[in-house]
């Protein structure tokens, strides 16, 4: 197989430096990209098939770690890494079997290499490097945040660039302007304190609900009255695209001191409504200010049904909203494979000795946040 690969793609001569050489994707040729995600508390692998411009999600396998972290009310990094180590190869194997593929049929491996918990990232990156080395196929380092946004490609989204992207996850709440090619992400707004997912998680903890808080709060909220209690919405000045959620958590803790036995569905519905309103208001303001026609909303909190409904209702009619299906909002290997397919088309993989120089650098997140060049 290496000989065929080499004959197809490697330039002749002694100067091959380990970077993936130029090649053009022949129409009708199919590629299978394995995506590996292990940046936080999900170990996930998925296979996406790329044929020409068309992407097809084939299969995914994910091992969750809720039961490990639940009693701590958040993710414990050391425990997360150990669990990834146990789960990684089994989830890769399971994703391949579900896709009815052998290792030898993979064309490339995409792996999250930033941002995330360093120990957890290293488990995924080292597994990908080892597999890439053994199979003699390229490894494509992927930015987890960019992949959240690219998850919309799994369901055939047709996007008009430049577009706006809102990432709402456990660690991030950020707005970006995205250029075509998925390589330039200009940050235009961030949370100034807690992320939206963090607000759900901290709120749930105060309410005695399990981690992760988002799904638990939204489940109770289904039967509650969102107008029962008036929690604060931190809507910074219209000129600002930033968010703020830490005041909401404080407001909930004071509220619970005054109301030790509140109606749980009503509190959950009202608390969720405050987060959703702040996200929707600031995002719609940003859409109007930038005049963009397409908006991508991604990350774990994008799975929230109330947010999905409200955004759709409030956005101007000409704005096209792209949100991945809930299964592709929370961390998953499929989004990594999806952006891997884009990078594969851009020849962004590495092979040979260069495999062993893939940086596992969470600090690049800081550069991304400031809208600088990253990679
Ligand atoms: O994107 P994600 O899976 O992991 C990170 O990259 O952080 O996001 C996890 C976050 C958690 O804070 C979780 O509480 C939140 O997403 N979340 C939700 C829902 N599902 C997950 N928040 C609100 N509603 C949901 N249905
Ligand atoms: Zn994530």
């Amino acid at each position: 197989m290496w000989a065929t690969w080499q004959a197809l793609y490697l330039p002749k001569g002694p100067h091959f430096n380990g970077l993936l050489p130029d090649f053009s994707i022949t129409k009708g040729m199919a590629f299978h990209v394995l995506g590996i995600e292990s940046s936080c508390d999900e170990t996930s692998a998925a296979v996406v098939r790329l044929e020409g411009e068309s992407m097809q999600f084939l299969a995914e396998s994910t091992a969750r770690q809720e039961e490990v972290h639940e009693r701590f009310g958040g993710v414990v990094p050391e425990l997360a890494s150990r669990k990834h180590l146990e789960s990684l190869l089994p989830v890769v194997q399971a994703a391949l079997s579900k896709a009815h593929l052998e290792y030898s049929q993979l064309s490339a491996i995409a792996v999250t290499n930033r941002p995330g918990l360093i120990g957890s990232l290293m488990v995924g990156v080292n597994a990908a490097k080892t597999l890439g080395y053994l199979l003699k196929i390229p490894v494509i380092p992927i930015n987890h945040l960019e992949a959240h946004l690219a998850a919309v490609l799994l369901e055939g989204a047709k996007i008009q660039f430049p577009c706006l992207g809102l990432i709402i996850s456990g660690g991030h709440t950020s707005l970006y302007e995205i250029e075509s090619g998925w390589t330039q992400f200009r940050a235009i707004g961030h949370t100034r304190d807690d992320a939206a997912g963090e607000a759900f998680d901290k709120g749930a903890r105060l309410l005695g609900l399990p981690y992760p808080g988002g799904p638990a709060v939204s489940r109770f909220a289904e039967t509650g009255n969102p107008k029962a209690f008036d929690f604060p919405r931190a809507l910074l000045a219209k000129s600002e695209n930033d968010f703020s959620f830490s005041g909401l958590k404080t407001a909930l803790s004071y509220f619970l001191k005054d109301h030790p036995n509140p109606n749980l569905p009503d509190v959950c519905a009202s608390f969720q409504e405050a987060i959703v309103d702040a996200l929707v208001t600031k995002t719609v303001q940003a859409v109007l200010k930038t005049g963009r026609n397409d908006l991508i909303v991604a990350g774990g909190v994008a799975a929230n049904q109330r947010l999905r409904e409200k955004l759709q209702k409030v956005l101007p009619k000409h704005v096209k909203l792209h949100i991945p299906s809930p299964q592709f909002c929370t961390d998953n290997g499929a989004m990594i494979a999806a952006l891997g397919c884009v990078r594969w088309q851009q020849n962004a993989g590495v092979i040979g000795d260069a495999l062993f120089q893939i940086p596992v650098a969470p600090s690049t997140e800081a550069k991304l946040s400031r809208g600088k060049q990253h990679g």
Side-chain angles (χ1 to χ4, degrees), residues 4-323:
T4 324
W5 201 94
Q6 210 170 16
L8 276 174
Y9 303 130
L10 293 191
K12 304 281 176 284
H15 305 300
F16 176 52
N17 63 0
L19 292 174
L20 189 68
D22 270 356
F23 69 93
S24 48
I25 293 173
T26 316
K27 253 203 170 132
M29 214 166 161
F31 299 94
H32 295 113
V33 176
L34 171 71
I36 295 179
E37 158 61 32
S38 72
S39 65
C40 188
D41 61 341
E42 264 101 12
T43 323
S44 183
V47 188
V48 170
R49 180 184 166 91
L50 178 70
E51 204 167 335
E53 292 295 304
S54 130
M55 237 180 248
Q56 189 195 357
F57 165 71
L58 293 188
E60 179 182 327
S61 172
T62 299
R64 304 199 185 280
Q65 308 185 352
E66 274 102 344
E67 80 286 1
V68 177
H69 306 289
E70 203 173 28
R71 67 201 151 110
F72 301 105
V75 178
V76 182
E78 174 66 16
L79 299 181
S81 319
R82 284 168 188 264
K83 203 71 192 156
H84 285 306
L85 211 49
E86 260 174 51
S87 310
L88 209 131
L89 285 178
V91 300
V92 169
Q93 186 62 65
L96 284 172
S97 336
K98 281 194 209 168
H100 304 292
L101 289 175
E102 304 286 337
Y103 279 104
S104 59
Q105 290 169 282
L106 291 174
S107 318
I109 301 172
V111 61
T112 305
N113 81 327
R114 65 199 188 279
L117 303 172
I118 189 75
S120 297
L121 287 169
M122 282 171 70
V123 175
V125 167
N126 282 307
K129 285 201 291 197
T130 310
L131 285 174
Y133 184 74
L134 289 172
L135 299 169
K136 306 210 174 354
I137 57 176
V139 171
I140 306 170
I142 295 289
N143 180 305
H144 178 91
L145 299 177
E146 297 173 1
H148 264 305
L149 294 163
V152 293
L153 297 176
L154 291 165
E155 291 159 307
K158 297 271 174 285
I159 298 154
Q160 187 190 330
F161 290 100
C163 70
L164 272 195
L166 172 69
I167 298 176
I168 34 179
S169 67
H172 296 87
T173 297
S174 304
L175 268 167
Y176 297 97
E177 283 198 289
I178 310 164
E179 298 293 334
S180 83
W182 301 89
T183 52
Q184 284 179 50
F185 295 76
R186 194 170 73 82
I188 61 166
H190 290 293
T191 181
R192 294 197 177 170
D193 35 60
D194 291 350
E198 199 177 352
F200 272 110
D201 295 339
K202 288 179 174 171
R205 198 167 186 201
L206 290 170
L207 291 165
L209 297 175
Y211 172 86
V217 169
S218 65
R219 229 173 1 256
F220 276 101
E222 278 168 25
T223 54
N225 173 8
K227 293 193 176 131
F229 307 110
D230 189 18
F231 289 114
R233 281 95 167 128
L235 301 173
L236 307 164
K238 268 198 177 166
S239 55
E240 309 264 4
N241 293 317
D242 285 350
F243 303 85
S244 167
F245 293 103
S246 66
L248 179 57
K249 172 198 60 195
T250 312
L252 178 63
S253 74
Y254 282 125
F255 171 87
L256 291 173
K257 280 193 184 117
D258 295 340
H259 307 78
N261 291 306
N263 175 310
L264 194 55
D266 281 353
V267 185
C268 286
S270 304
F271 184 74
Q272 170 179 267
E273 200 72 357
I275 299 176
V276 167
D277 278 351
L279 287 171
V280 169
T281 307
K282 295 308 295 182
T283 304
V284 172
Q285 270 174 19
V287 168
L288 295 176
K289 264 191 288 181
T290 56
R292 301 298 177 211
N293 291 327
D294 285 52
L295 168 69
I296 303 173
V297 179
V301 180
N304 186 277
Q305 205 49 43
R306 182 76 177 167
L307 173 78
R308 296 168 83 96
E309 287 162 13
K310 273 206 145 176
L311 255 181
Q312 195 69 65
K313 209 159 121 196
V314 174
L315 273 175
K317 290 288 162 278
H318 70 276
V319 177
K320 221 160 131 193
L321 176 63
H322 308 270
I323 306 191

